[in-house]
Amino acid sequence: MDIRVLVTSYDPIYLLGLKSLLENEHNIKISCCTNNQLDEYISHIPLHVAIIHIPFLDIETIEWLRSAKESANAVHFIIICTCYHHTFVPMAYEAGISAIVTSEMFQTQLTTILKQVANGQTLFLTTPPSSFCKLNDIEIRILQMISNDYTNKQISERLNISKRTVERHLSSCFEKLGVNSRTGAIAVAMRLKLIK
């Protein structure tokens, strides 16, 4: 049986490279599109697997993929990205993504990954960045206070630290959680059950 695959990338040169890699494989039928055309292709072409190359995995992308998975439930999604934060992997799994791999892993294990995902297996062949450090207790307390609508000033008064220290802790939280806003930090922390 042929595996029908849609390949998409934000980078047209990478897209051509993926296409040429897959063209040499037996039993794989390929369609290509840009990331901007993805919604249209997923809803109009019968597919087994959609391979999506993105620069980084973030909450917005995961939510879009969750929506795409709901409208194309039979399609298995493989995400190829070089920049991710390990906290997004469980969210991606919950959203119905079948695999997250790096470009290098995909190129060296192409056939295996495609066949396993087409058969319904999930593969998360990424490893957390070595610089990852979990949120410390004060960062979790600050996130909990933010979720309870405390301002930075109120947090600094309550914890007896300067407002600038609160801001530094928030910056650290944003970096560790892979977000760029208070709302994003709260959303990720709640999903990871770090706060209530």
Side-chain angles (χ1 to χ4, degrees), residues 86-102:
H86 84 281
T87 56
F88 291 132
V89 174
M91 287 186 275
Y93 178 79
E94 289 173 12
I97 296 169
S98 298
I100 299 176
V101 297
T102 63

Side-chain angles (χ1 to χ4, degrees), residues 93-116:
Y93 178 79
E94 289 173 12
I97 296 169
S98 298
I100 299 176
V101 297
T102 63
S103 297
E104 297 78 20
M105 290 174 180
F106 190 76
Q107 290 169 7
T108 60
Q109 301 172 37
L110 170 72
T111 307
T112 304
I113 292 170
L114 258 178
K115 288 180 180 175
Q116 288 177 331

Side-chain angles (χ1 to χ4, degrees), residues 9-71:
S9 175
Y10 69 97
D11 179 352
I13 294 170
Y14 192 89
L15 182 60
L16 289 173
L18 274 177
K19 183 180 178 190
S20 67
L21 274 174
L22 292 169
E23 285 175 336
N24 297 326
E25 297 296 323
H26 297 295
N27 301 326
I28 296 177
K29 301 295 180 201
I30 308 161
S31 298
C32 293
C33 72
T34 64
N35 286 355
N36 296 345
Q37 301 167 313
L38 196 52
D39 284 327
E40 182 180 328
Y41 272 76
I42 287 176
S43 60
H44 291 92
I45 296 176
L47 298 170
H48 292 112
V49 177
I51 300 170
I52 303 169
H53 175 241
I54 55 176
F56 57 89
L57 186 62
D58 59 10
I59 290 177
E60 201 173 293
T61 304
I62 291 171
E63 290 306 318
W64 178 86
L65 287 162
R66 181 187 313 276
S67 173
K69 182 68 177 167
E70 288 171 2
S71 65

Side-chain angles (χ1 to χ4, degrees), residues 129-146:
S130 58
S131 63
F132 172 73
C133 178
K134 294 180 182 176
L135 293 176
N136 61 40
D137 290 340
I138 188 116
E139 291 167 339
I140 292 171
R141 284 182 68 193
I142 289 171
L143 287 175
Q144 184 65 60
M145 294 170 92
I146 289 171

Side-chain angles (χ1 to χ4, degrees), residues 113-130:
I113 292 170
L114 258 178
K115 288 180 180 175
Q116 288 177 331
V117 167
N119 287 324
Q121 294 182 27
T122 55
L123 303 168
F124 292 89
L125 303 175
T126 58
T127 54
S130 58

